[in-house]
Amino acid sequence: MRPTAKFSISFGLVTIPVAAYNATDSSASVSFVRIHTADGGRVRNQPVCSLEGVEISPDEIGRGYKPGDGDTVVPLSDEDLDALPLPTAKTLTILAFVAGGDIDPLQMGKGYYLGIDSPAAAKPYVLLREAMERHQRVGLGKIALHGRETLAMIRPMEGALVMQVLLWPHQIRPMDGVLPERQAEVAPNEVSAAEALMDSFGELSEDDLHDHYREALEEIVAAKLAHREPEFPAGEEQPAGQVMDLMAALQDSVRAAKRSRGEDEEAEARSGRTAKKSATKKTAAKKATATKSASATTSKTAAKKATAKKTAAAKKTASRGGRRAG
């Protein structure tokens, strides 16, 4: 890969020369061209001067800045931009280290891999990476890229440093009018059902990370070129219509997720084993109870017989004593 920019990272008094490489490939995404529907001809964006009405070549196109809401445009040359008193033009100065979770995902922009730009940068590069890994922090700073100053986040990833361009806070629009005036209320059991559904989800598979839209689009194009009907694999049909019973939908979703991973059969087998164990325990308990009852009955009978014998013996002794006295 060729670097798109070169600058230095300033970490206190430590300077790390780095080269930035594009971490994403925009050419891999699906893109369309505009055509004239009547004949299929390409519709192009031609750079035309608004004053002369003629097409302009690329080497005649420069930069201009429009202050305020008026029609005035101020031309700016490369020399004007190079003369800007910006320390961020060639250096990304780390201003703070924060937890990665403190960064609003809405601010996340384009990503760059950062590699060392000189042999002397190897040791401080590794030092900064390992310090952030151990401290579990990301670095925040500012850098001028492509003629604009921007916030940037530096973080360690798989043995390297990665820079993520961040939007300025004022570029994040407020949520005015997004939320309804009256919030819907959910019951605790509905929240519990939703949590159970979340727990039933498995990890992402390779197929989940596959661009099926691009693949289907390429099949349509190939079918049109071959003058045939496109062929698509049969997929599951998604239920249409509005779900009225939220709890039923959540419970059905949990069961469907478990079925997709074959957990229902395991649950049934475990349930069967548990039922057998429970029945065995109950039978054993009943037998033990019956044995205890029989034992108790036998003990009571023996006690009664012993008591009767003692009583009879006492009566005989009393009777003999009476005859002797007479």
Side-chain angles (χ1 to χ4, degrees):
M1 290 190 293
R2 295 179 59 185
T4 60
K6 292 186 177 183
F7 52 88
S8 295
I9 299 173
S10 176
F11 174 38
L13 298 178
V14 178
T15 301
I16 311 171
V18 296
Y21 303 84
N22 286 330
T24 56
D25 184 8
S26 59
S27 64
S29 61
V30 174
S31 60
F32 301 97
V33 297
R34 297 190 301 169
I35 63 171
H36 184 198
T37 56
D39 54 18
R42 290 282 299 274
V43 177
R44 302 179 185 275
N45 292 325
Q46 304 291 348
V48 176
C49 176
S50 62
L51 298 179
E52 298 178 340
V54 296
E55 185 176 344
I56 305 299
S57 61
D59 57 354
E60 293 182 281
I61 299 175
R63 297 186 185 90
Y65 185 78
K66 185 179 177 183
D69 297 329
D71 295 330
T72 304
V73 176
V74 180
L76 293 173
S77 64
D78 291 339
E79 290 76 15
D80 294 328
L81 298 178
D82 291 338
L84 289 173
L86 287 178
T88 58
K90 297 185 181 297
T91 303
L92 190 157
T93 302
I94 296 180
L95 304 175
F97 290 94
V98 301
D102 293 342
I103 307 299
D104 188 344
L106 287 175
Q107 289 186 260
M108 298 289 186
K110 191 172 182 179
Y112 297 87
Y113 297 133
L114 299 181
I116 59 172
D117 195 35
S118 72
K123 189 170 183 177
Y125 181 97
V126 174
L127 175 65
L128 177 59
R129 184 199 68 206
E130 291 195 2
M132 284 196 290
E133 283 181 344
R134 292 188 184 184
H135 204 49
Q136 295 185 344
R137 291 290 187 270
V138 299
L140 293 182
K142 293 191 293 186
I143 184 68
L145 288 177
H146 313 301
R148 297 181 180 182
E149 187 177 59
T150 180
L151 285 173
M153 175 184 71
I154 294 179
R155 60 186 175 91
M157 187 185 78
E158 297 180 3
L161 290 176
V162 175
M163 183 179 72
Q164 203 88 31
V165 171
L166 301 178
L167 297 176
W168 296 99
H170 70 267
Q171 292 179 292
I172 306 298
R173 293 180 175 179
M175 290 193 293
D176 297 341
V178 175
L179 296 175
E181 295 182 1
R182 184 176 180 181
Q183 294 290 327
E185 295 183 0
V186 292
N189 62 331
E190 292 174 330
V191 177
S192 299
E195 291 173 345
L197 177 57
M198 291 171 63
D199 292 338
S200 69
F201 277 65
E203 296 182 356
L204 287 174
S205 65
E206 292 185 6
D207 187 64
D208 293 327
L209 301 176
H210 186 70
D211 189 353
H212 295 285
Y213 178 81
R214 181 186 180 93
E215 189 176 77
L217 181 64
E218 291 174 347
E219 168 59 19
I220 290 178
V221 173
K224 284 182 175 291
L225 292 174
H227 304 287
R228 60 174 175 81
E229 290 295 322
E231 299 175 358
F232 300 119
E236 294 185 6
E237 294 186 1
Q238 298 297 324
Q242 184 178 3
V243 177
M244 300 303 294
D245 190 337
L246 182 58
M247 276 299 297
L250 290 170
Q251 293 168 354
D252 290 344
S253 299
V254 171
R255 285 191 287 268
K258 289 183 177 180
R259 280 198 302 272
S260 66
R261 297 199 305 272
E263 292 184 4
D264 270 8
E265 291 82 358
E266 296 178 6
E268 289 177 1
R270 287 197 299 268
S271 177
R273 290 194 296 269
T274 303
K276 288 181 180 178
K277 288 181 180 178
S278 178
T280 302
K281 288 181 179 178
K282 287 181 179 179
T283 302
K286 287 180 179 179
K287 288 181 178 179
T289 302
T291 303
K292 288 180 180 179
S293 298
S295 177
T297 302
T298 303
S299 298
K300 287 180 180 179
T301 303
K304 287 181 179 180
K305 288 181 178 180
T307 302
K309 286 181 179 180
K310 287 181 180 179
T311 302
K315 286 181 178 180
K316 287 180 180 180
T317 302
S319 177
R320 289 174 184 172
R323 286 197 298 271
R324 285 175 184 173

